[in-house]
Amino acid sequence: MKGGYTPVPQANKDELDGETVYPKHRGKSRSYWRCFYGIVLIALGIGAGFAAWKVKEIHSNNIVAKPLYDHKLYKAIKLHNGMHILLIEDKESLLSGIGLDLQVGSMSDLSAGPQYLGLAHYTEHAMYMGSKEYPRFNELANFLQTHGGNDNAFTTQTHTNYYFYVNSRSIKHSIQIFAASFRSPLFDPSVLEGEKQAIQNELEKDIPQTGWKKFSILKLMSDPDHPFHRFNVGNKEIFDSADFVTKIRWFYNKYYSANLMNAVILSNLPLQEIEMMARKEFSTLPNRNITKPTFFSNPYPTGTKYINQFTVYENGALTQELELLFPIASSEEEMKLDHKLVLTILGDESQGTVTSHLRDLGYIIDLTVSTLTFPESFSCLTIQIHLTSTGSCNVRKIIRTVFDYIDLMKREITKSIWEDNFNLQGIRFNYHDESDLKTLLKTMPGWMSSASSPRYYLNNQLVHSKYKRGDIDRVLNKLNVNNLNVLQGGAGFDTMLCEFPSLDQYDTTFKTKYHSSSIPSSWIQYWQSEDHKTESLSIPDKNEFIPSDFTILPLSKLPQPSIILDEDGFKAYWKQDSSLPKSYVNCKFFIPDFSKDPRLVAILRLYLELVSESLDTVTYAASTAEYRYSLSPVSEGFKLRVEGFSDTDTFYKFLKFVVSALRDPPAITEMRFKYQVQEMVYDQLNKIYKDQPFRQGFYLARLFYQSYSYDNSLINSHILKLKQQQVLEGGRELLKKLAVKCFVFGNVDVREALNYAQFIRDEFLSHVMKSSYSYRGTVVVLPPGRWIWQVPVLNPTETNNCIFVINQITARTVSGPSLRKNILLTVLATIMKDPAYATLRTQEQLGYTVFTGTLKMLSVDYFYLLLQGSHYTPEVMMKRVVEFMHSYKDTLVELVANGTAEHPSGEEWFSTTKQEAINLLLSRPESQVGLAEYSSDTSQSNWPFFNRREYIITAGKGIRKEDLVEFYHNYIIGDARQLIVQLHGAGYPTHQNTSVPHKQILDKESIQKLKENLFPVNTEFVW
């Protein structure tokens, strides 16, 4: 699938010219409702607010306010046809792209009639399927695939978004194809007919997912007269019951109007060129002068049976989640209220807060506060609470504690608290890091529709620059017992110690058992009673981590990166980056041979979780000021990352908190250990059992190929047996023999970087090994041939099957042959992506999810192709995947010989495609935090230290077009080392036979024998 189109009237002449702000400083599977909660889940990131500090001074109404150190140029224009476009010039971006938002979504389905549920979503699928100017099916996707790009789209309740990105040299032609899709879509009935099954496959992919089950329950709880109540994903049965193909054209002609469209175009072209391109291609989109559809009303009206509901539903999750839902806005005026302070304080985890108190009682693992927002309709404040097994039976008490805390907030929130929070929002905005291009293209066009002027495109919270106690009270007053719905989702309700109602209702769409009834009046009386109030709650103290020094340091003349500390068992590197006033310390702690014992692996996981528990009361406040840390176990030991503003005093204070806790975490109560630490780790390890089958394919591949990789069930068996004292003693013992490698990055000079490194070294001085240490991982070397591993999908309710083909290629080294294989592998994965999608998904409808790509495990490269679907047996799916891979060789031979229409010789086509692969391998993150991680990983890998560019370019020069065909024959279809993981969904039992030629169908014993064939890989370092 990709697109579809009809002729439309043309408009011309643009009515509003923008101005440019120049900076003073430098510094493919589609998914319906990509976020279950609509186009905007308000968060504390890029949307945070700020006139009080120094945003770029703006005076013109159509100029965009931006962060201080944002080097990009912005220009907002409005075309004569009413379309708003934000132009962004980013000289440093290797990719260009566009995101287009239509302010119409699935709530508008009913305008076509009650039988046309899913029409907006179906139209979204139809828009890329050919236009008058570019009638070839999948024209845009085919072009993007050979030019380093990709595209996607999604539909929400009130918006529809389309976006693509591509290498910057190809942006002009890409936009021509893209704009034609909206100007003159063909809507070929024969093509549209096949897309019905694609949407059905998409739905079946989502049915087992817990988030979708909850979202469907929320709809069922709402007022049936509200458009939110309707099922509007669509499925084949609905599409076959009415003339949807004709209605798609009707829906397009009614709603696809330029005055309802916002777009963002980002490129490294000059702003003037971007503007010329935008005006040329989008001025001709039709303006039907449509009034934006709005649905301002409350789907859970006060005083009706649709509020004060308690719904229990079974979602198959191993632990239970409680959600409190408060409708807070159902009018345009209410939508404009600033509720960020309420979210921030209600979600705080400091000592005395509701989260801290409920954790101390052993009732909850974590608590998250957010908003469920559908622009032009309604908004709810939601409190999601991850329950312990004890908490699952104490929901009434948990909710009472939440209301006690809300009452405390009503009394104790002051102007000074608001000012601190407002200033933090300003700091976050002014020093916001680069957004991922794809994220920007998906979200920014939708945000533009809610901004009162272009000034606020990047940050609508600039509007809320004054303290308005009345607004805060209006939000808090909505958080009352008469304006509440409660959902409790999980599994095993019939086996719990406390009583739950029989799940006697059934959601036929998402196959979910549930029971919905009124909240017991005794509960409401208990929540309202003045007796038994929780007295130990308190509003958080003043945040001690608010930075004050944002000075950008001059760049050092020292060579960079530099080794600043080089001792036995401890190395530290430093590299300066002045794009933002932030610093990063990334360390990897190597623990020799611990991964050979699954019990030690379990101990380390629990130990790191204990460290995190001990930091909980500090890290929430720190995170609101942009100070964060992460601790993650890896096969060689664990990684630590500490990041934040480079204000030396504050950064060092936070670093000390984290490192001291890592060295010697305090004990917690046994109840908290049992109900939080153990349950949290257990839940983390078991998420794979509820994940989609293709993700299980990745998990099983790693399990197969890595020598010391253990099934999560084995690790969990140890986790559940361990006592807290054993974990503390065992963890401290593991830290007694370390090798440490650190990388200090960011706005930090060499002296301060050395101070940070020496502090970490001194904290672990007695633990660091005093002799050289070499870590050598081992991987399973698969003998040549096709090996098939048939596995039941881990989730017993999952009906999707998955075929996961993974070919072992070569160990990655700095040698020329290895790098050449890596480049050829990247070429292959890129050019096969769209043909695989077009053949297996669009033409043959074998499944909705089709990917090709590359994978690296312990410095060994792999090629993979996966197919997931529920319509065909695993045997049929595997047979077609294998046939496709063999037939693709003929396509490859043709491309190498004759090229394409755009590149009419094989030599020209291969040269262009090879260069795209090299560019991809050389690409680096644009964000400062991404560069910090990239630099750290590079220093710890077996690639040449930071000069990989030179090696890759040299290796690429020697690759000929004939090498690609030879590579495909040797490593993909010929005498390849190929593992096929055949995941069988519910209703498709495994069987030890297949008609596909193979070497062996694997069982437990044969896998164990293969795992004896190990190859050592110098995955990290030797010193």
Side-chain angles (χ1 to χ4, degrees), residues 617-860:
T617 56
V618 170
T619 52
Y620 183 87
S623 69
T624 63
E626 298 279 289
Y627 288 94
R628 299 184 180 90
Y629 81 99
S630 65
L631 276 170
S632 52
V634 293
S635 57
E636 312 91 334
F638 63 94
K639 286 183 175 183
L640 166 68
R641 183 173 79 191
V642 178
E643 63 181 81
F645 284 102
S646 47
D647 180 314
T648 303
D649 293 340
T650 315
F651 188 90
Y652 187 62
K653 180 195 299 184
F654 185 62
L655 182 67
K656 282 182 67 176
F657 270 117
V658 175
V659 173
S660 299
L662 176 60
R663 180 175 50 80
D664 192 19
I668 58 177
T669 65
E670 283 302 320
M671 179 177 63
R672 191 165 177 177
F673 175 77
K674 178 181 178 182
Y675 289 124
Q676 287 174 250
V677 176
Q678 282 186 314
E679 286 194 17
M680 179 177 284
V681 176
Y682 182 85
D683 183 50
Q684 289 169 348
L685 288 169
N686 280 282
K687 280 180 180 176
I688 188 65
Y689 292 95
K690 289 300 297 178
D691 219 331
Q692 293 195 49
F694 78 84
R695 298 194 188 280
Q696 294 174 25
F698 284 103
Y699 162 72
L700 292 170
R702 288 186 171 89
L703 199 63
F704 178 88
Y705 279 111
Q706 295 183 11
S707 54
Y708 295 114
S709 184
Y710 302 105
D711 188 284
N712 286 350
S713 60
L714 176 61
I715 302 299
N716 273 333
S717 67
H718 289 287
I719 281 172
L720 296 177
K721 294 174 186 175
L722 288 165
K723 305 296 183 186
Q724 182 179 186
Q725 195 57 36
Q726 293 174 307
V727 173
L728 288 170
E729 291 174 357
R732 289 171 183 140
E733 194 65 30
L734 284 173
L735 297 186
K736 284 184 178 179
K737 194 176 184 183
L738 291 172
V740 185
K741 195 168 189 180
C742 290
F743 197 100
V744 184
F745 182 89
N747 184 47
V748 54
D749 61 28
V750 66
R751 185 186 301 275
E752 202 57 47
L754 184 60
N755 287 341
Y756 295 153
Q758 288 174 335
F759 166 69
I760 294 171
R761 179 204 60 190
D762 293 346
E763 287 292 294
F764 294 96
L765 188 63
S766 61
H767 304 332
V768 174
M769 291 185 297
K770 298 302 180 184
S771 59
S772 63
Y773 164 62
S774 168
Y775 177 84
R776 291 180 70 83
T778 54
V779 296
V780 173
V781 177
L782 195 65
R786 178 176 295 122
W787 307 79
I788 299 174
W789 186 12
Q790 297 179 343
V791 186
V793 169
L794 299 174
N795 179 359
T797 65
E798 175 66 73
T799 58
N800 283 282
N801 305 306
C802 181
I803 304 302
F804 189 92
V805 181
I806 180 164
N807 287 37
Q808 195 171 40
I809 307 298
T810 183
R812 188 183 296 186
T813 68
V814 298
S815 70
S818 172
L819 288 176
R820 283 194 288 275
K821 288 176 187 174
N822 188 235
I823 293 170
L824 289 167
L825 175 61
T826 305
V827 169
L828 194 59
T830 301
I831 64 174
M832 283 186 71
K833 184 184 302 179
D834 209 66
Y837 186 85
T839 301
L840 301 174
R841 185 269 192 205
T842 305
Q843 295 173 20
E844 301 184 16
Q845 295 292 341
L846 290 165
Y848 186 76
T849 305
V850 181
F851 292 139
T852 64
T854 65
L855 196 62
K856 188 183 84 166
M857 291 185 284
L858 288 176
S859 292
V860 176

Side-chain angles (χ1 to χ4, degrees), residues 290-445:
I290 300 296
T291 301
K292 179 169 63 175
T294 59
F295 308 90
F296 288 117
S297 60
N298 185 356
Y300 309 103
T302 304
T304 69
K305 64 180 180 180
Y306 307 112
I307 198 71
N308 279 158
Q309 297 177 83
F310 184 24
T311 301
V312 179
Y313 67 102
E314 192 160 70
N315 61 16
L318 294 167
T319 54
Q320 296 205 1
E321 181 187 77
L322 178 69
E323 177 151 337
L324 313 183
L325 182 141
F326 299 91
I328 60 171
S330 56
S331 69
E332 191 169 6
E333 180 191 6
E334 289 177 330
M335 283 287 198
K336 293 177 180 178
L337 294 178
D338 184 13
H339 49 259
K340 286 194 177 296
L341 180 61
V342 174
L343 294 179
T344 301
I345 296 180
L346 196 50
D348 201 302
E349 300 175 7
S350 307
Q351 196 66 41
T353 61
V354 64
T355 300
S356 175
H357 180 78
L358 292 173
R359 279 177 173 164
D360 288 342
L361 293 175
Y363 288 168
I364 73 168
I365 293 172
D366 56 51
L367 181 151
T368 305
V369 185
S370 60
T371 52
L372 162 58
T373 299
F374 300 107
E376 297 85 44
S377 185
F378 70 95
S379 179
C380 296
L381 185 145
T382 66
I383 304 174
Q384 297 104 29
I385 302 173
H386 190 177
L387 300 168
T388 66
S389 52
T390 300
S392 298
C393 294
N394 284 280
V395 167
R396 188 180 73 135
K397 293 181 181 178
I398 291 171
I399 297 175
R400 169 60 192 257
T401 307
V402 170
F403 278 122
D404 286 344
Y405 193 66
I406 291 170
D407 287 341
L408 182 67
M409 290 169 62
K410 291 176 181 178
R411 298 192 304 271
E412 296 195 7
I413 287 181
T414 62
K415 184 176 181 180
S416 63
I417 293 175
W418 179 89
E419 287 172 343
D420 284 347
N421 185 65
F422 180 75
N423 286 331
L424 278 173
Q425 292 180 51
I427 290 169
R428 287 195 294 268
F429 176 72
N430 262 325
Y431 305 104
H432 178 70
D433 207 348
E434 292 283 344
S435 295
D436 168 72
L437 176 60
K438 186 165 72 170
T439 301
L440 183 145
L441 298 177
K442 288 165 59 176
T443 57
M444 184 64 69

Side-chain angles (χ1 to χ4, degrees), residues 50 155 167 185 211-212 237 308 406 435 468 476 481 509 519 574 587 686 706 772 788 816 844 865 890 933 971:
F50 343 63
T155 306
N167 70 53
W212 279 96
E237 181 182 356
N308 279 158
I406 291 170
S435 295
K468 297 179 181 178
L476 285 171
V481 297
T509 304
I519 297 173
W574 160 74
C587 295
N686 280 282
Q706 295 183 11
S772 63
I788 299 174
E844 301 184 16
L865 187 156
D890 295 335
E933 193 72 13
Y971 291 96

Side-chain angles (χ1 to χ4, degrees), residues 838-973:
T839 301
L840 301 174
R841 185 269 192 205
T842 305
Q843 295 173 20
E844 301 184 16
Q845 295 292 341
L846 290 165
Y848 186 76
T849 305
V850 181
F851 292 139
T852 64
T854 65
L855 196 62
K856 188 183 84 166
M857 291 185 284
L858 288 176
S859 292
V860 176
D861 285 319
Y862 300 83
F863 168 86
Y864 72 83
L865 187 156
L866 66 87
L867 166 67
Q868 179 178 300
S870 60
H871 226 53
Y872 294 90
T873 66
E875 172 70 12
V876 169
M877 293 168 66
M878 180 170 67
K879 185 177 180 181
R880 280 301 300 123
V881 167
V882 171
E883 288 172 351
F884 167 78
M885 293 178 73
H886 277 270
S887 67
Y888 187 74
K889 183 180 178 182
D890 295 335
T891 304
L892 198 59
V893 170
E894 176 67 19
L895 285 169
V896 167
N898 301 315
T900 63
E902 184 188 3
H903 302 291
S905 75
E907 197 64 53
E908 181 185 345
W909 170 83
F910 180 71
S911 176
T912 302
T913 307
K914 180 179 73 172
Q915 190 58 52
E916 292 297 341
I918 291 173
N919 291 342
L920 185 62
L921 290 170
L922 294 177
S923 63
R924 305 191 312 166
E926 294 188 8
S927 66
Q928 191 183 48
V929 64
L931 281 172
E933 193 72 13
Y934 170 86
S935 301
S936 176
D937 288 346
T938 301
S939 73
Q940 294 161 359
S941 75
N942 69 329
W943 283 86
F945 188 57
F946 290 103
N947 60 345
R948 57 200 293 258
R949 179 181 184 83
E950 173 189 335
Y951 279 80
I952 289 173
I953 290 175
T954 302
K957 290 177 180 177
I959 300 176
R960 304 165 302 131
K961 64 178 185 176
E962 293 79 13
D963 296 336
L964 184 61
V965 177
E966 183 181 355
F967 178 86
Y968 193 82
H969 178 78
N970 291 340
Y971 291 96
I972 306 300
I973 60 171

Side-chain angles (χ1 to χ4, degrees), residues 204-215:
E204 290 173 359
K205 169 183 68 72
D206 294 327
I207 284 173
Q209 305 305 307
T210 56
W212 279 96
K213 289 180 179 292
K214 178 171 72 174
F215 191 65

